[in-house]
Amino acid sequence: MIITISGALGSGKSTVAKILVRKFNLKHYSTGDFMREISAKRGVTLLELSKLAETDKSIDKELDERQIKLGKEEDDFIIDARLGWHFIPNSVKIFLDVADEEAAKRIFKEGRTDEKYNLDVESTLENIKNRRDSEIKRYQEYYGLNYYDHNNYDLVVDTTEIPVEEVAKKIIKFIEEKNNRNT
């Protein structure tokens, strides 16, 4: 089973993925981790890398190729990735949404060391909007895709008011029902 989890920044993609990994005994990959590796290698912030990716297609190409390769070479994993649903079409496609203000609180509270530019909740909110705009622009230009279009997914969950465990339960229930229908 392959599960792709896309969604808004701060929606809980990685956290939910980790719960699902334990439940279904799957490997976990994250393009967020891939991006952090690239930004560290280049000595730039994630926001700077996103902006750089608007003109340097090699960044997205590297991310895309890693996802495509995973989809072709492995069978049992979860990946949280904005475009995982597109590059791994044979997956169960999940989208997690969240209000920007809640996302900013979550991201700021995490205190990610590679996102030191998030000085307070307000700057984090602004950075979320800038990064999302950058991604939407890139993905539209490069692929003609909008990852915010809910029609791309099998299940959409708004995580704004729901604890992460409850989000995971909804997804688990959906997947188990889907598997039962297919047997």
Side-chain angles (χ1 to χ4, degrees), residues 15 37 39 42 47 51 64 67 83 92 94 96 99 118 133 147 153 179:
T15 306
E37 289 172 21
S39 69
R42 293 183 178 219
L47 185 57
K51 286 289 184 194
D64 302 345
Q67 292 175 78
L83 299 180
V92 177
I94 311 293
L96 302 182
N118 289 329
D133 291 347
Y147 76 93
Y153 305 96
N179 287 342

Side-chain angles (χ1 to χ4, degrees), residues 117-162:
Y117 47 84
N118 289 329
L119 304 174
D120 51 35
V121 174
E122 292 75 25
S123 66
T124 305
L125 178 60
E126 187 64 29
N127 290 329
I128 286 171
K129 290 176 181 178
N130 290 337
R131 192 165 152 208
R132 178 180 55 227
D133 291 347
S134 173
E135 290 173 345
I136 287 172
K137 177 183 175 185
R138 273 192 351 257
Y139 303 154
Q140 185 61 50
E141 184 181 315
Y142 292 176
Y143 316 107
L145 299 173
N146 180 352
Y147 76 93
Y148 266 87
D149 182 350
H150 292 177
N151 292 318
N152 295 317
Y153 305 96
D154 300 314
L155 177 68
V156 176
V157 181
D158 186 334
T159 70
T160 305
E161 302 287 334
I162 306 173

